[in-house]
Amino acid sequence: MTRPILYSFRRCPYAMRARLAIHVAGIECELREILLRDKAPEFLAASPKGTVPVVVDAGHVIEESLDVMHWALAKHDPQGWLDMPQEGHALIAQSDGPFKSALDRYKYGSRHPEADTDDEREKGADFLRKLNTMLQGQAYLYGENPCLSDMAIVTFVRQFAHVDQDWFYAQPWPDLIRWLDAFKASNLFAAIMGKYPTWQQGDEIIVFCPKTPG
Ligand SMILES: N[C@@H](CCC(=O)N[C@@H](CS)C(=O)NCC(=O)O)C(=O)O
């Protein structure tokens, strides 16, 4: 049986969330690490829009990270990540939309000369305050177990926190910080952050999340 191919980029928060779902689902993939500034032609042939992550599963191309998460969890969802209230989808949309836009303008201020980085940080902080409130008294966004929205959002919160860690960790968001730090310290996060050389045709196959024997 041929394994699905996963085109990925280690530090991309979209690729990270795809790898989180693939890993928790235990799907063995052939990992191909892409260099964003010099994309492999095989990658562009599979998905001309040229964003990671992309999964190619028996000729079927999945080129949106959330779709990759759903694809993986539909196969196997041992932690019940899909067991999420309906509003979790709207929360993910808020993260992928306005929050991600503020994050980009805050993080890459020089690429957005029209934006004021303090204003953008404040827009992002509005969303983070909401998450902090949701996390009060519970380990995850919708209770004591992680679900799709935790894992679809946390990699972007991590990126936001890393723009200016001194500022982030000084904010009155103890529950959000606890949630983020627990994720960063988790075995799951460690398992998806392995370092791989950039892939090119002819390289030896790298198996992402190999099945443990037995
Ligand atoms: N909507 C896409 C967005 C993916 C995305 O934008 N990934 C970035 C890397 S973090 C990318 O591949 N950018 C293309 C480039 O930099 O050339 C998804 O959810 O998969």
Side-chain angles (χ1 to χ4, degrees), residues 51-67:
T51 63
V52 286
V54 166
V55 163
V56 182
D57 180 22
H60 174 53
V61 180
I62 308 162
E63 47 190 358
E64 286 293 325
S65 55
L66 259 189
D67 293 341

